[in-house]
Amino acid sequence: MIRVLVADDHAVVRSGLGELLRAPDDIDFVGACADGESAITTAIAQRPDVVLMDLQMPGVDGIEATARLRALLPDVQVVVLTSFSDRERILAALEAASPGSAPPRAASRRSQRRLPVRSSTRTSAERTRHS
């Protein structure tokens, strides 16, 4: 069972993702938050395996919340959600979520589970070939 938390300031997005995540039998939807501070508090209480994190939220944004989560709960995986294509913010989010920034720990069974993800993005090798 994969435990998933959603953090997004748009109620429609939170609701829609919640509905999608409640359907599969192997996903446990543990909650939805409207800002980064709530995401951190809820993640500490609920211990999700994955947090779907919006970058642009009021108060504590997704970048800061991701960095704080990775420091507090290094086994939590963060998937960034954004409608923005601002390269600087996306790179900052990747840096905040980087496993290399977390303290070294032995891999737990919990961190070895994976959420199935479909992506249409190309790998860096594919981008190089197509440039």
Side-chain angles (χ1 to χ4, degrees), residues 38-80:
S38 297
I40 294 164
T41 304
T42 304
I44 290 168
Q46 295 294 325
R47 302 288 187 187
D49 299 303
V50 176
V51 176
L52 302 180
M53 182 79 72
D54 184 17
L55 286 185
Q56 191 73 28
M57 294 185 288
V60 175
D61 69 4
I63 295 170
E64 183 179 340
T66 297
R68 288 171 52 188
L69 273 176
R70 295 292 296 151
L72 294 167
L73 303 169
D75 289 339
V76 171
Q77 301 300 307
V78 177
V79 176
V80 172

Side-chain angles (χ1 to χ4, degrees), residues 56-117:
Q56 191 73 28
M57 294 185 288
V60 175
D61 69 4
I63 295 170
E64 183 179 340
T66 297
R68 288 171 52 188
L69 273 176
R70 295 292 296 151
L72 294 167
L73 303 169
D75 289 339
V76 171
Q77 301 300 307
V78 177
V79 176
V80 172
L81 304 175
T82 187
S83 60
F84 297 97
S85 60
D86 178 359
R87 179 179 171 83
E88 191 172 306
R89 288 187 55 79
I90 292 169
L91 290 175
L94 290 172
E95 185 177 320
S98 171
S101 65
R105 296 180 57 153
S108 69
R109 285 178 48 178
R110 193 171 142 169
S111 68
Q112 292 171 1
R113 290 180 283 193
R114 300 287 183 243
L115 181 67
V117 176

Side-chain angles (χ1 to χ4, degrees), residues 1-5 21 24-30 47-50 110 113-116:
M1 181 75 60
I2 299 172
R3 298 172 52 79
V4 181
L5 172 68
L21 294 169
D25 293 335
D26 58 346
I27 295 178
D28 181 15
F29 177 65
V30 299
R47 302 288 187 187
D49 299 303
V50 176
R110 193 171 142 169
R113 290 180 283 193
R114 300 287 183 243
L115 181 67

